[in-house]
Amino acid sequence: MRLASLGSGSRGNATLVQHRDTTLLVDNGFSLRKFSHRLQRFNMQPGDIDAVLLTHEHSDHSGGIARLCSSHQIPLWTAVGTARAVLPTEFQYQTLIADQPVSIGDIEIMPVTVPHDANEPLQFIFREIDNGKRLGILTDTGHITSHIIKAFGGLNGLLLEFNYDPKMLESGPYPAKLKQRVGGNHGHLSNLQSLELLQKIDTSELSCLIAAHISENNNNPSIVADLISQLQDVPAPVLANQDEGFDWITL
Ligand SMILES: [Zn+2]
Ligand SMILES: [Zn+2]
C-alpha cells in the first residue's frame, strides 16, 4: 500500500491511498481545477480514482467533493451526518458507519469516530486485503480517546495531525474564539497531544510516519521534526505541507 498528498492544512486536504489496482481519495478541499492540476504531478486523472471517502464536512476537506464526484462519476462514501451537513439532498452516496469495516477493491477501510466539532466525523484505518499491512489517517481530532489509542496501535504507516504549538497558538494572530476552538476538546491535536499518542500506541511495526495538517499560523515544521526526533523507535517523519502535500510513500 502507498499514500500521497495533494496538499495538507487548513486551506485544503486531499490524500491518495493506493494498493494494487485500487486507488482511494480521502477528502478533497480543492476546486476541481486545482485538484486536477495537482493530480497531474502523479501522472493521474480524476477518472483513475475508484472511490472517495469524506471524513467530515469542514470545507478544507469537503469543498471540492460534490463537484469532483459528480463530474467524474466517482462513488462517494461518508457518514450520514456528514452527508446531511454538506451534500445536496439528492446526492447519492454510500454510507459509512463507525467501527463497521467496508471493502473497496483491494483495500478494507475501518472508520473510526473522533472528537471534532462536526456532525459525525470519522478518520480511517486502511488494510491491504491480501497482505494485511495497515495505514492509519488521523487529523481533525480534538483530543486522544482510549478508542483512538486502541484503534491506531500496531500500524505499518500513520499520517498524524500535528496541528499547533500551544505557545504559538496562544500568542498568534487568531481571534480568541478561534484559539479556543482550535485548542479545545473538539478542535485539533497539538504537537504534544500527537506526541503523546505516539508514546501510547504500539509503534513497533511503524515504518513510515507523516506529520500532517500542520498549521501555517500556529506551528513550525522544524518544531514538529525536533519533537518527534526525541522519541525512540519512531521513524523520522515526512512533513506534509499545504502547497505540495507529499509524494508517494510506500508502507
Ligand atoms: Zn475539521
Ligand atoms: Zn481540517
Side-chain angles (χ1 to χ4, degrees):
M1 186 146 52
R2 61 179 191 164
L3 76 162
S5 166
L6 279 65
S8 174
S10 57
R11 289 189 289 114
N13 297 274
T15 311
L16 295 163
V17 176
Q18 194 176 61
H19 181 54
R20 297 180 70 98
D21 292 331
T22 303
T23 303
L24 306 177
L25 172 70
V26 180
D27 295 335
N28 176 29
F30 301 108
S31 70
L32 187 55
R33 201 166 141 239
K34 203 176 241 182
F35 179 82
S36 305
H37 182 73
R38 289 188 180 208
L39 205 55
Q40 281 171 12
R41 186 152 62 91
F42 302 99
N43 290 319
M44 286 174 66
Q45 295 177 348
D48 298 330
I49 296 164
D50 296 298
V52 176
L53 309 169
L54 175 58
T55 56
H56 67 297
E57 64 267 31
H58 293 159
S59 62
D60 55 323
H61 300 264
S62 72
I65 288 284
R67 180 92 198 279
L68 171 68
C69 290
S70 56
S71 48
H72 292 277
Q73 284 96 48
I74 310 171
L76 173 65
W77 294 72
T78 194
V80 172
T82 303
R84 284 196 182 141
V86 77
L87 295 177
T89 37
E90 73 283 5
F91 201 97
Q92 300 286 316
Y93 67 96
Q94 308 285 320
T95 305
L96 290 176
I97 298 171
D99 302 325
Q100 294 193 14
V102 296
S103 292
I104 301 176
D106 302 299
I107 304 173
E108 182 194 75
I109 301 118
M110 172 68 86
V112 181
T113 295
V114 295
H116 189 54
D117 53 358
N119 270 357
E120 197 179 346
L122 298 171
Q123 295 292 316
F124 301 118
I125 291 166
F126 301 91
R127 190 176 69 85
E128 300 174 345
I129 288 175
D130 57 352
N131 294 322
K133 279 196 177 175
R134 295 193 308 138
L135 162 71
I137 290 186
L138 182 66
T139 71
D140 297 75
T141 295
H143 63 279
I144 300 298
T145 61
S146 55
H147 184 61
I148 290 173
I149 293 170
K150 221 183 246 174
F152 283 80
L155 297 170
N156 304 93
L158 174 58
L159 181 153
L160 177 60
E161 168 170 63
F162 280 78
N163 192 278
Y164 66 95
D165 172 87
K167 280 195 198 117
M168 287 179 73
L169 178 65
E170 181 65 40
S171 61
Y174 282 8
K177 213 171 169 191
L178 187 53
K179 285 180 184 177
Q180 271 168 27
R181 201 221 122 209
V182 170
N185 253 345
H186 289 76
H188 290 272
L189 291 175
S190 72
N191 295 342
L192 296 177
Q193 286 173 308
S194 297
L195 209 65
E196 209 178 301
L197 174 69
L198 287 173
Q199 288 168 314
K200 283 187 173 160
I201 57 175
D202 170 14
T203 54
S204 58
E205 300 295 317
L206 196 65
S207 64
C208 60
L209 173 66
I210 299 109
H213 219 308
I214 300 171
S215 170
E216 294 176 298
N217 294 305
N218 307 312
N219 209 351
N220 186 326
S222 64
I223 297 177
V224 174
D226 277 357
L227 280 172
I228 296 173
S229 72
Q230 293 166 14
L231 294 180
Q232 295 187 339
D233 308 324
V234 170
V238 169
L239 304 171
N241 73 51
Q242 182 69 77
D243 293 323
E244 306 269 314
F246 54 84
D247 205 350
W248 287 116
I249 298 170
T250 303
L251 261 57

